Amino acid sequence: MATALTYSIEESALIGGLIAEYFSRASVSGTLRMAYRQVYQHLTDGHLTQDDLKRIQAALDFLLPVFPPEREAQKIFRAAILKTKAMLKSRA
């Protein structure tokens, strides 16, 4: 039986931090802010839905060009992108 993919502690922290920093601001539409609040809660609870993963993928793709180039941070960021894509594929 295959093991379910999950984010590492570092990947979860990175995704949670990005959601908190970029998608909880007053300048973000209320609908989008609420959607990412739910993603954050599901991430914290460890029960991500397919819609959550799609939102995480969209956030990571959107923020990739502005993410700091520091090597270790980029490594975690790119690992989170790859894992999100793998989780979406495995649940399709």
Side-chain angles (χ1 to χ4, degrees), residues 22-91:
Y22 291 97
F23 298 100
S24 63
R25 296 176 179 183
S27 60
V28 174
S29 75
T31 304
L32 191 61
R33 199 168 48 246
M34 290 303 293
Y36 275 101
R37 185 174 293 158
Q38 183 176 32
V39 171
Y40 183 83
Q41 187 61 52
H42 291 168
L43 178 68
T44 303
D45 295 343
H47 300 289
L48 291 168
T49 67
Q50 190 78 355
D51 285 340
D52 294 334
L53 291 171
K54 288 177 184 176
R55 288 197 185 281
I56 289 170
Q57 182 179 13
L60 292 172
D61 289 343
F62 175 73
L63 294 170
L64 180 61
V66 297
F67 196 75
E70 191 270 317
R71 183 182 167 124
E72 193 60 31
Q74 277 289 325
K75 183 178 168 184
I76 296 167
F77 194 94
R78 292 186 184 279
I81 289 172
L82 292 173
K83 193 165 290 172
T84 303
K85 289 179 183 193
M87 286 192 282
L88 279 165
K89 187 176 179 181
S90 73
R91 294 181 185 190

